[in-house]
Amino acid sequence: MCEAAGDGGGCGADMGPARRRRGAAQSDCFREYFVHKFRAMLGKSRIIFPGEKVLLAVSGGPASSAMLRQVQEGLSRETAKKLRFIPSVIYVDEGAVRGQSLAQREQSLACMETLLQATGFPYYLVHLEQALELPASILQPGPVTPSEPGVSYKEAVEGFIQQERQKGNGDKDSGTSLPGPVSGESPEGPPAAPRLPPAALTQELLKLFEAVQTLTAKEELLQMLRIHLILQTARTKGYTKVMTGETCTRVAVKLLTNLALGRGAFLAVDTGFKDNRHGDVMVVRPLREYMAKEIAFYNHFFNVPTVIAPPLPTKRRDKPSIRHVVENFLMELQEDFPSTISTVYRTGEKLSADRTKPSCESERCLLCLCALDLDGEEELALEPTLIIDDAELEKNGCCHDPPAAGAERKSAYIPLLCYGCRLTFKELGPVTTLPPYVRAEAQRRIHSVYPLQCRDAAAESGGSTGGQGAWQELKAEGQGEPPAPFGVGKGAGTPRAMGPWSHPGPPPPPQLSITLVGLSFVLLDICINKPFELIIQKINQQNQHHGKCL
Amino acid sequence: MPPPRCQLCPLPAALLRPRCGTPLCRHCFMLRFEAELLGSITRAPGARGPVPAPGSTVAVAASGGKDSTVLSHLLQRFAPRLHLRLALVSVDEGIAGYREAALEAVREGRGGAPLLVLSHRDLFGWSVDEVAAALGAGSRCTFCGVLRRQALERAARLLGANCIATGHNADDIAETLLMNFLRGDVARLRRAAWEGGAGPTEGPMESPTEGPIESPMESPTEGPIETGRRTKTPMGSTKDPMKTSKDPIETSRSSIGVPVGSPTAPSPIETSKDPMGTTKDPMDTTKDPMDTSKGPMGTTKDPMKTPKDPMKTPKDPTDTSKDPIETSRSSIGVPVGSPTAPSPIETSKDPMGTTKDPMDTSKGPMGTTKDPMKTPKDPMKTPKDPTDTSKDPIETSRSSIGVPVRSPTAPSPIETSKDPIETCKGPMGTSRDPMKTPKDPMKTPKGPTDTPKDPMGALLSLMGLPPSSGPTEATPGRAKAPRKAPPRPAAVPAALPARGRPWAPVPRCKPLRHACEKEIVLYAHFRRLRYVSAECAHAARAFRGHARALLKALEAARAAAVPALGHSGRRLRVGGAGGGGAWRELRACARCGFAASRGLCQACVLQGALQRGRPRLALGKRGLEEVMGEGGARGHGAGVRGAVDPRAGVEVEVVGAGGRSLRRRVVGLGRARGALNIWDF
């Protein structure tokens, strides 16, 4: 039975065939249901004000295309039910990092352009390469929009309706013309000849991506650049809201992915309906309640055109990204337990976003702009996030060097980042390949924070960290239980490079008091470069021979 | 390609640490690993969660698997340095082909620590295999896990442990997070997140609030007497006990300042006393003044007081401060007046309560080693008295040790304090003395001499000097054998919970929480530790398997995903109910008295559902209503089968430090702290 209305309403027609056969009446019900969900989502949240300029982030995929169609339909309705915001569309061309050739890129751009032109909204075509030219200010939250706190949503709506009426009386055309076909306005050059960015920029972008060590980090980086680009466009063109087309399925995947990335503290911000960490521009996810399957049906029934972008190129020995792993897992589990995705989604709903707003700059993550989530964390828990910088060891303590020298070291970035971003950042390439705006902002932050940082470092260098302290104690007491196979001198036990920014002095030169037995083993092992396991076994045997037990 | 060099020494590295990719040679790795564990149980900077204080007792949950093997190995190495007292606790779930080998491995590889083995079958009446049969297809892992945790909790309490150390590693924690997220278990997500922060603080008080319920539970030990008690309980004495018990504790603390002593014995004893007490009533009145005076006085006064009442005099001295000598004297004196003697003290409590009095008096001695005194109460006991007296020297010696600590807290002050209270309360008053514990314990220590009554007791070293509180044994003969919970070593907070509060759960710590599974395996390999790695026959049905599969895939994609998941779990901000508070206040389970967030603890719900033959019910939301509704909170319903009569005691296996293995019958398992002194075996 068709129960599109959810309360026993609907048309009562047989539902199964409706979905498959595209019968006129039945698909109307589906459409009603679909549209209602979209409008209800926007309506109950009350954050899109009438007359507000909204930027729709469209990738050409099924979800964002469906979202575009929804907005289109919403705006073309009769006045009472009409959506009242002013949409524009932005498309980010990622062909360069997705391994498309120039011709392919041209082609998909043209394809996308005709598609966007057909919608009649103003649109922007942006290339990912332009991310390299972003200003550093993109990494700072903008000032909160003044309009929101001032006026209540209800007042704003009523005021807008009044205006519309007056306008309608005076000049009928101008009232409705806002969303009208104004494709010529497209700020990104003439639609006829989409220009690709200069090859040099493309090369630089490719270099950035190739230096990234893992697919996981690549995806994270791409996501970051994309959102920054969209954000920049929104800011410069005066948009206060950005809509992205993340479906329920995608949200569930992202929840688990971000959990595994160590971003547990920010799940609500990363996946919630609204994301206002950027201050002036709010990211809204109106498709959160649609399953990917519903979207697919919708697109299929109503002939919503989509453009498929190829995935990030992978090499054979690349490990799958965390997102791939999670996605595959969820899809498989969904088959056995059909409620898996919605369960994960609903679990995510119960997370709250409080305390993710940083109170000051020094508490804000450089990349994701969330409040740092590292206070009060155990030292051992932070160990995976630290970078051991060899260059740093050779210098005599960063604190006495001019910070300018240290700022370009990778480890200098670590204190600026949250847990999840640290892990990702570790897998990015050398600092010199990073986008200029990230480097510029980091430089600024490092300089401004420098005095404070030095103090921290001094304090930290005083007491060695817990595990190491205990360890040294262990060694000092000579209780390292089995007699050390090789007499390891004191120097070897000195903690090295645990905190990236705490290195008060040069590490003492290794003083090895190598016993005869130890020496013989060292020589033996160095001569024969067998796999580790063999060496270990050998040492064990030897030790047993000597009556020692490792 | 030559191996990279160890980060800490010039040797070639033997491994890259999965967590951070640091190359380490084998020796450095082991040192590092040990240091990290040491750091995690000794408040390293930034460390969170409960940490065993020096001098405390730690129960190590040992399954025989790699994690617990490594954990117990490391803890045993560090125990002397940290002044910890260790005991291993194993739970035999009754899974054929799985647990036997593991238990064997635990027995062999336990090092120097004593081992306590509980079994689901004995404790709850159901082995997991039986549960599986009853369940058909379904998640038996829920049953197994819930019951196992309950078993651990009881064992830890029995041993008087301050802390349970489990071998959860970083992978387990990450896996649990994923599983909870996949299942949408918001409550557990929230709890895990808060455990990452500040764990629950251990309530100062422990005893379950509901006197009536408890009393049946505990009373079981004393068969004949119990019946008497129960009959009396209806009389109304039950309520009072609770209150009285509280008061005494507080008073004792306030006056003495020693929180330690009053551990916990539940009221049941008192209830049993009631019958006795009736006779005493006349006595009581006289006593009351005495007691009151005592209360303020604290222990020292006792001798003074004793003189006041002809009856009491003998006892009082014993109560507190007097010391072995006095006690001995009193004990001697007691035999004569004994029947009356006990009564005075008790009598003060109530006409009603008089029954208790004997008990209390007995307790008093117990605490201070006065046992002889108590015995006098019953004509029956009088015979004992001599024995007691004879014991006294021994006890006195013990007591002398214990006295400084305990005696202040010693029951007598408590009792005295109660009395006034009780009197006001009325007839009811007597019911519980925290102190009551056990005559039995007293006897056991004393030795063989007393023991004739309790064969069991003799065997059990229940009374173990330091940890005294357990009413563990039931001496059938000695129904009244009141038990007193001797105070534990000073480190242990006294345990009487406020009314309506549960026994504070024993804090759990996870010293290996930051260690990756791989590292643990490597460490065990390097140290040549023997462990069992068998897959549970039922594990294939567990939902956890999916989470595990996901975790393994994630770990392969990025090794740091495991610690990252742990970090995420600690940082989750779960909104909703109690957003700020997070901890729902724990109540006492109406059946077992342990902490529960609802009327019954989950273990009791599962048990009840099993007995009813509808085990699946317990897994749903209606489980609680179903179980509570039918039998009521107290009733033990008409069990289809497997209902464990708590009065019967539970058989446990004890493997002493010396390797001697015994099967002991323990009554009132887990009710009082430190009832079983496993270290003296």
Side-chain angles (χ1 to χ4, degrees):
Chain A
M1 293 281 284
C2 169
E3 291 178 2
D7 54 354
C11 65
D14 199 5
M15 185 80 162
R19 293 221 158 155
R20 256 170 267 128
R21 238 195 282 129
R22 225 189 335 144
Q26 290 87 346
S27 60
D28 275 352
C29 280
F30 181 54
R31 182 206 295 253
E32 279 306 316
Y33 153 83
F34 201 90
V35 170
H36 172 78
K37 215 169 175 180
F38 184 79
R39 298 172 53 81
M41 192 79 185
L42 288 182
K44 76 182 173 201
S45 65
R46 304 195 151 200
I47 53 174
I48 308 248
F49 282 57
E52 198 166 11
K53 289 175 76 179
V54 174
L55 194 56
L56 306 177
V58 171
S59 67
S64 55
S65 303
M67 176 176 75
L68 188 56
R69 171 65 67 91
Q70 284 296 307
V71 174
Q72 255 180 300
E73 291 196 2
L75 286 169
S76 64
R77 291 192 156 219
E78 68 275 28
T79 342
K81 290 187 176 178
K82 199 168 130 178
L83 292 175
R84 299 191 189 89
F85 55 83
I86 306 168
S88 301
V89 183
I90 184 170
Y91 169 72
V92 180
D93 158 42
E94 297 160 359
V97 296
R98 291 187 184 274
Q100 286 178 311
S101 69
L102 282 184
Q104 284 170 322
R105 290 181 67 186
E106 291 278 6
Q107 188 190 345
S108 64
L109 255 185
C111 181
M112 201 64 211
E113 186 144 27
T114 50
L115 201 149
L116 293 184
Q117 273 172 352
T119 64
F121 299 142
Y123 62 90
Y124 306 90
L125 297 181
V126 186
H127 302 283
L128 197 63
E129 285 87 343
Q130 290 170 319
L132 300 177
E133 296 165 341
L134 285 173
S137 65
I138 204 76
L139 291 171
Q140 298 158 14
V144 179
T145 44
S147 70
E148 268 187 57
V151 195
S152 80
Y153 182 78
K154 207 172 175 185
E155 287 169 9
V157 172
E158 281 167 3
F160 182 79
I161 292 174
Q162 291 275 334
Q163 270 186 358
E164 286 279 285
R165 279 198 194 127
Q166 287 167 2
K167 258 195 215 164
N169 293 339
D171 176 6
K172 268 207 166 171
D173 292 338
S174 68
T176 53
S177 68
L178 270 177
V182 271
S183 61
E185 272 183 18
S186 169
E188 196 56 36
R195 296 165 313 201
L196 289 179
L201 267 184
T202 308
Q203 284 310 313
E204 201 179 329
L205 185 70
L206 285 177
K207 219 172 77 186
L208 165 63
F209 272 84
E210 271 161 16
V212 179
Q213 295 158 11
T214 65
L215 201 54
T216 306
K218 257 183 213 176
E219 284 178 357
E220 288 294 298
L221 177 65
L222 174 61
Q223 206 173 313
M224 182 188 85
L225 294 181
R226 186 194 301 140
I227 196 69
H228 284 165
L229 262 181
I230 295 173
L231 196 62
Q232 176 63 14
T233 312
R235 275 189 185 160
T236 54
K237 311 288 182 193
Y239 293 90
T240 51
K241 297 281 190 305
V242 171
M243 277 189 190
T244 61
E246 279 158 310
T247 60
C248 173
T249 312
R250 183 75 66 84
V251 165
V253 170
K254 198 166 178 188
L255 278 170
L256 286 183
T257 306
N258 283 2
L259 262 188
L261 291 175
R263 298 183 55 78
F266 318 125
L267 285 186
V269 182
D270 285 341
T271 61
F273 177 73
K274 61 174 184 175
D275 171 2
N276 55 1
R277 73 181 101 168
H278 301 292
D280 51 349
V281 178
M282 180 187 284
V283 178
V284 182
R285 306 184 174 95
L287 291 193
R288 289 181 82 227
E289 293 192 346
Y290 294 100
M291 299 290 289
K293 210 172 200 173
E294 288 174 294
I295 300 274
F297 274 124
Y298 181 81
N299 289 349
H300 177 67
F301 287 160
F302 303 107
N303 294 324
V304 178
T306 59
V307 175
I308 306 295
L312 287 179
T314 56
K315 301 194 185 85
R316 173 175 295 211
R317 63 185 163 84
D318 277 352
K319 290 171 181 167
S321 74
I322 286 185
R323 194 183 59 81
H324 279 158
V325 169
V326 169
E327 196 167 359
N328 292 341
F329 171 81
L330 274 185
M331 295 309 156
E332 264 173 40
L333 198 59
Q334 175 83 2
E335 283 176 16
D336 293 338
F337 301 88
S339 63
T340 300
I341 285 177
S342 64
T343 305
V344 172
Y345 168 80
R346 273 185 285 107
T347 310
E349 286 296 86
K350 301 205 172 87
L351 303 175
S352 73
D354 58 340
R355 287 208 271 162
T356 49
K357 268 279 189 192
S359 58
C360 69
E361 184 177 77
S362 62
E363 286 178 12
R364 196 178 63 222
C365 174
L366 174 70
L367 297 181
C368 71
L369 303 190
C370 292
L372 293 186
D373 57 347
L374 299 159
D375 55 302
E377 195 57 80
E378 281 178 89
E379 175 215 337
L380 284 181
L382 293 186
E383 200 181 343
T385 67
L386 303 180
I387 292 185
I388 298 153
D389 209 338
D390 281 342
E392 180 179 319
L393 291 175
E394 286 157 15
K395 288 181 188 173
N396 295 354
C398 67
C399 284
H400 309 299
D401 285 350
E408 282 292 279
R409 279 184 285 106
K410 237 179 145 181
S411 55
Y413 282 63
I414 291 294
L416 305 178
L417 301 174
C418 69
Y419 190 99
C421 289
R422 285 183 181 191
L423 292 183
T424 302
F425 183 81
K426 272 181 81 171
E427 294 173 354
L428 296 184
V431 171
T432 48
T433 61
L434 293 184
Y437 72 97
V438 173
R439 287 165 66 188
E441 174 70 5
Q443 290 284 1
R444 193 186 66 76
R445 293 268 296 270
I446 290 170
H447 279 271
S448 66
V449 180
Y450 176 65
L452 182 105
Q453 191 182 322
C454 245
R455 253 180 282 129
D456 286 351
E460 202 148 312
S461 61
S464 64
T465 49
Q468 282 166 341
W471 181 49
Q472 280 186 321
E473 186 193 333
L474 267 188
K475 292 201 98 161
E477 287 185 25
Q479 261 210 346
E481 233 133 81
F486 320 105
V488 178
K490 250 188 174 177
T494 318
R496 275 165 61 185
M498 281 311 290
W501 62 92
S502 63
H503 289 287
Q511 313 161 349
L512 296 180
S513 60
I514 298 180
T515 64
L516 279 181
V517 181
L519 185 60
S520 65
F521 290 159
V522 173
L523 292 177
L524 210 63
D525 287 340
I526 293 178
C527 294
I528 311 166
N529 278 325
K530 285 189 179 177
F532 303 154
E533 222 16 73
L534 285 181
I535 294 176
I536 288 163
Q537 284 174 3
K538 186 163 33 110
I539 293 178
N540 258 336
Q541 291 163 2
Q542 298 275 11
N543 279 339
Q544 274 180 340
H545 194 63
H546 288 273
K548 294 175 180 179
C549 172
L550 247 196
Chain B
M1 192 179 82
R5 275 197 356 188
C6 170
Q7 192 201 3
L8 301 165
C9 72
L11 297 181
L15 64 133
L16 299 178
R17 301 197 70 177
R19 189 170 60 209
C20 48
T22 316
L24 286 180
C25 73
R26 172 189 185 129
H27 182 67
C28 291
F29 163 71
M30 287 192 289
L31 280 182
R32 228 11 215 278
F33 189 83
E34 287 157 8
E36 285 171 6
L37 179 114
L38 191 55
S40 68
I41 53 174
T42 57
R43 275 279 172 242
R48 297 163 150 219
V51 164
S56 59
T57 303
V58 178
V60 184
S63 68
K66 56 191 177 332
D67 301 325
S68 59
T69 304
V70 167
L71 177 68
S72 72
H73 170 80
L74 287 175
L75 283 182
Q76 284 184 45
R77 284 181 52 176
F78 295 134
R81 161 191 313 212
L82 300 175
H83 307 291
L84 298 179
R85 197 168 57 154
L86 296 183
L88 303 185
V89 176
S90 287
V91 180
D92 180 3
E93 296 95 341
I95 301 171
Y98 171 61
R99 204 34 111 191
E100 296 91 338
L103 282 178
E104 204 46 50
V106 174
R107 286 193 190 96
E108 283 176 10
R110 79 199 146 74
L115 166 71
L116 174 66
V117 183
L118 304 172
S119 82
H120 276 13
R121 186 77 180 76
D122 290 338
L123 211 49
F124 305 107
W126 292 80
S127 71
V128 171
D129 282 342
E130 290 164 348
V131 170
L135 260 177
S139 164
R140 48 212 66 171
C141 295
T142 305
F143 282 84
C144 180
V146 168
L147 296 184
R148 183 172 48 227
R149 275 180 282 277
Q150 180 74 359
L152 278 181
E153 178 85 15
R154 291 193 187 178
R157 184 164 289 279
L158 182 66
L159 296 171
N162 310 71
C163 180
I164 302 176
T166 57
H168 289 98
N169 57 32
D171 291 60
D172 295 333
I173 291 169
E175 194 178 293
T176 306
L177 172 71
L178 285 177
M179 185 177 73
N180 288 339
F181 217 96
L182 287 173
R183 294 200 312 187
D185 196 336
V186 178
R188 283 203 176 76
L189 286 176
R190 179 186 294 133
R191 193 163 57 194
W194 278 83
E195 272 169 9
T201 56
E202 185 169 2
M205 340 271 324
E206 288 185 345
S207 69
T209 55
E210 308 172 2
I213 297 172
E214 291 180 356
S215 58
M217 302 297 290
E218 293 181 351
S219 56
T221 58
E222 310 168 0
I225 297 171
E226 288 179 357
T227 56
R229 291 181 183 179
R230 286 189 175 180
T231 56
K232 293 178 179 180
T233 47
M235 300 303 285
S237 58
T238 57
K239 294 179 180 179
D240 297 349
M242 302 305 290
K243 296 176 181 178
T244 57
S245 64
K246 294 176 181 179
D247 298 347
I249 297 170
E250 291 178 358
T251 55
S252 64
R253 289 183 182 176
S254 61
S255 63
I256 301 168
V258 180
V260 178
S262 47
T264 55
S267 52
I269 296 170
E270 295 180 352
T271 56
S272 63
K273 295 176 180 179
D274 295 351
M276 303 302 292
T278 54
T279 58
K280 297 176 181 179
D281 296 350
M283 304 305 290
D284 292 349
T285 57
T286 58
K287 291 179 179 179
D288 294 351
M290 300 305 291
D291 291 340
T292 56
S293 64
K294 291 179 180 179
M297 300 306 286
T299 56
T300 58
K301 296 178 180 180
D302 297 350
M304 302 303 290
K305 297 175 181 178
T306 54
K308 293 178 181 180
D309 293 342
M311 303 305 289
K312 295 178 180 178
T313 52
K315 295 179 178 180
D316 296 350
T318 59
D319 287 340
T320 54
S321 54
K322 290 182 178 178
D323 295 346
I325 300 174
E326 291 182 0
T327 56
S328 63
R329 292 179 183 177
S330 62
S331 64
I332 299 169
V334 172
V336 177
S338 60
T340 57
S343 59
I345 298 170
E346 293 176 354
T347 53
S348 62
K349 292 179 180 179
D350 288 332
M352 303 303 290
T354 53
T355 58
K356 295 179 179 179
D357 297 351
M359 303 305 288
D360 294 347
T361 55
S362 64
K363 293 177 180 180
M366 299 307 285
T368 52
T369 63
K370 295 177 181 179
D371 301 350
M373 302 308 290
K374 298 176 180 178
T375 52
K377 297 176 181 180
D378 294 340
M380 302 301 292
K381 295 177 180 179
T382 53
K384 295 178 181 179
D385 298 348
T387 58
D388 293 347
T389 56
S390 63
K391 295 175 182 179
D392 294 352
I394 301 171
E395 291 180 353
T396 54
S397 62
R398 292 181 183 178
S399 63
S400 64
I401 300 170
V403 170
V405 180
R406 296 178 182 178
S407 59
T409 55
S412 59
I414 297 172
E415 292 178 355
T416 57
S417 62
K418 292 178 180 179
D419 295 351
I421 298 169
E422 290 179 355
T423 54
C424 340
K425 293 178 180 179
M428 306 307 291
T430 54
S431 57
R432 350 180 131 167
D433 294 355
M435 308 310 298
K436 297 176 177 178
T437 42
K439 298 175 178 179
D440 301 354
M442 299 306 290
K443 297 173 179 180
T444 53
K446 293 177 177 178
T449 57
D450 287 353
T451 53
K453 299 176 180 179
D454 307 345
M456 307 305 292
L459 300 177
L460 298 183
S461 59
L462 300 178
M463 300 314 294
L465 319 170
S468 47
S469 58
T472 51
E473 275 196 357
T475 54
R478 280 295 104 254
K480 298 209 163 170
R483 1 335 248 331
K484 160 263 229 92
R488 329 242 10 289
V492 183
L496 271 193
R499 181 187 193 103
R501 311 301 298 284
W503 308 73
V506 181
R508 308 210 182 131
C509 71
K510 302 172 180 171
L512 289 175
R513 59 188 176 275
H514 292 302
C516 298
E517 193 175 16
K518 278 181 181 168
E519 290 191 349
I520 291 174
V521 174
L522 265 183
Y523 183 83
H525 173 68
F526 287 160
R527 284 273 183 239
R528 315 234 159 141
L529 300 177
R530 282 198 49 219
Y531 60 85
V532 173
S533 54
E535 175 92 350
C536 171
H538 302 294
R541 296 164 181 270
F543 189 76
R544 184 174 276 271
H546 298 293
R548 176 166 297 171
L550 174 60
L551 182 72
K552 291 298 168 210
L554 287 175
E555 191 185 0
R558 180 197 257 186
V562 175
L565 278 166
H567 178 84
S568 292
R570 288 188 294 272
R571 292 287 164 167
L572 278 188
R573 301 245 180 273
V574 184
W583 284 100
R584 198 193 296 185
E585 188 167 351
L586 293 180
R587 293 184 283 171
C589 169
R591 275 196 188 177
C592 66
F594 285 94
S597 52
R598 308 185 290 174
L600 291 181
C601 70
Q602 186 65 11
C604 286
V605 171
L606 296 185
Q607 244 180 301
L610 278 172
Q611 285 167 23
R612 209 143 280 159
R614 307 175 68 186
R616 283 170 168 277
L617 263 184
L619 299 175
K621 288 185 176 172
R622 285 178 41 233
L624 178 65
E625 292 79 50
E626 182 71 18
V627 172
M628 286 198 70
E630 201 167 326
R634 286 187 220 180
H636 294 285
V640 169
R641 55 134 290 172
V644 174
D645 183 359
R647 278 158 292 181
V650 173
E651 195 149 299
V652 301
E653 183 187 343
V654 180
V655 182
R660 202 155 59 97
S661 175
L662 290 172
R663 284 192 77 79
R664 274 283 89 61
R665 193 152 196 89
V666 177
V667 176
L669 186 67
R671 279 358 266 337
R673 299 189 72 164
L676 178 60
N677 183 5
I678 197 176
W679 292 270
D680 281 357
F681 269 80

